[in-house]
Amino acid sequence: MKLARFGAPGAEKPALVDADGMLRDLSSAIADINPAALSDASLAKIAAIDAKALPVVSGPVRLGPPVAQTGKIVCIGLNYTDHAKETGLSIPEEPVVFLKGCRPSGPNDDIRLPKDAQKADWEVELAIVIGKRALYVGKEDALSYVAGYCTFNDFTERSYQMERGGQWTKGKSFPGFAPIGPWLVTRDEVADPGSLHLWLDVNGKRHQDGNTKNFIFDVPTVISYLSQFIELEPGDIIATGTPAGVGLGHKPEPVFVKAGDVIELGIEGLGAQRQQILPWSS
């Protein structure tokens, strides 16, 4: 099942994508795709709805983040063997964890750069959406805590991340730096989150072309590991890291995005995104 939200920012309505790829308005059946809607029981009730009986959403519409009232965005760094190598850093012995301090944005919303941006960069990632409270979860049970998966762009200002001291969170948290969607794909439709093709283009040129087969720490390991330190709650997002091909790793010189550039990215079965980069404007 694919769940989405559409409409103006802050006024989105819930929707599902039917078998023919049509967006159907779910607002007559549920208030929103919020943490309460992400339990196994709630998702089963939504799945039982006759999609053909729901009104089609017609005309061009903005897609918002597929989950409302997101709590935390927890990120895993250096989680692909090829990305760790391109950064020149050692393969981590334990997951590298940081937080992203901005709200999720729609998959096709513009990204406005900070006013002093110097090294804006892209990262296509598989995102996990948590469906129930998770604390001290074993790897063998970890996938049962997943509501679904999304495409995610962990957009980053590298100068903030790496040259301003402190934690990576500084470079990850400017408004608009967390595009997610276009939809939430429930876990029953993702047979193996450890075998998904990911890609990202900038201005039509392919920069990232990877696969979650190259995870250092797979999805069950990540969930289990995080649950030792953080109480994961319904609606929380875990961004699982990015494959090789980020601008920072470009040889012989890094390549960063600027105003006017267009980023397109996607994950097999999870949908694609498109963002235009805009300059700072107060």
Side-chain angles (χ1 to χ4, degrees):
M1 184 168 58
K2 295 181 175 68
L3 300 175
R5 297 171 68 246
F6 68 97
E12 293 95 345
K13 293 182 179 181
L16 61 78
V17 181
D18 69 19
D20 298 320
M22 302 293 292
L23 194 66
R24 301 273 182 168
D25 189 338
L26 259 177
S27 57
S28 63
I30 60 172
D32 207 345
I33 302 168
N34 54 27
L38 298 177
S39 69
D40 287 349
S42 294
L43 291 174
K45 289 180 180 178
I46 297 171
I49 296 171
D50 179 7
K52 297 297 184 182
L54 299 172
V56 173
V57 179
S58 59
V61 294
R62 170 189 175 267
L63 292 176
V67 178
Q69 302 172 20
T70 296
K72 303 179 285 292
I73 303 178
V74 186
C75 303
I76 306 298
L78 302 175
N79 196 29
Y80 285 74
T81 54
D82 53 2
H83 177 53
K85 290 176 181 177
E86 77 174 346
T87 64
L89 299 173
S90 301
I91 300 294
E93 296 183 3
E94 295 191 31
V96 176
V97 180
F98 61 93
L99 297 177
K100 201 168 178 77
C102 56
R103 296 176 181 175
S105 53
N108 304 316
D109 290 350
D110 297 332
I111 298 176
R112 192 171 295 279
L113 298 174
K115 62 182 179 180
D116 56 351
Q118 302 173 26
K119 299 178 180 180
D121 205 349
W122 57 82
E123 294 189 12
V124 59
E125 305 200 6
L126 171 68
I128 305 162
V129 178
I130 295 297
K132 61 182 179 180
R133 177 182 174 273
L135 191 64
Y136 292 116
V137 171
K139 286 194 287 186
E140 67 280 4
D141 299 320
L143 291 183
S144 70
Y145 290 80
V146 176
Y149 302 92
C150 300
T151 301
F152 188 80
N153 184 358
D154 181 16
F155 200 78
T156 305
E157 171 50 51
R158 299 292 186 194
S159 65
Y160 291 179
Q161 177 191 8
M162 307 182 74
E163 300 167 18
R164 299 293 297 272
Q167 299 297 314
W168 289 1
T169 297
K170 284 183 181 179
K172 304 282 188 172
S173 300
F174 197 75
F177 275 24
I180 187 168
W183 41 66
L184 168 74
V185 180
T186 52
R187 73 170 187 268
D188 59 298
E189 290 199 7
V190 181
D192 183 3
S195 183
L196 297 174
H197 176 227
L198 309 84
W199 59 270
L200 184 144
D201 297 345
V202 180
N203 299 330
K205 180 180 179 180
R206 183 65 43 98
H207 283 269
Q208 291 188 277
D209 193 1
N211 196 292
T212 57
K213 290 178 181 179
N214 290 320
F215 273 151
I216 297 169
F217 305 104
D218 63 14
V219 168
T221 300
V222 164
I223 295 170
S224 177
Y225 182 85
L226 289 176
S227 75
Q228 298 177 46
F229 310 99
I230 301 170
E231 183 177 50
L232 300 171
E233 298 174 307
D236 284 352
I237 295 167
I238 303 172
T240 57
T242 197
V246 299
L248 181 66
H250 192 273
K251 302 294 188 294
E253 297 291 336
V255 175
F256 301 112
V257 294
K258 60 187 183 305
D261 288 343
V262 173
I263 298 174
E264 296 174 286
L265 61 146
I267 301 178
E268 175 187 355
L270 303 185
Q273 304 181 357
R274 183 185 188 276
Q275 296 108 31
Q276 182 164 0
I277 307 303
L278 302 182
W280 167 251
S281 176
S282 58

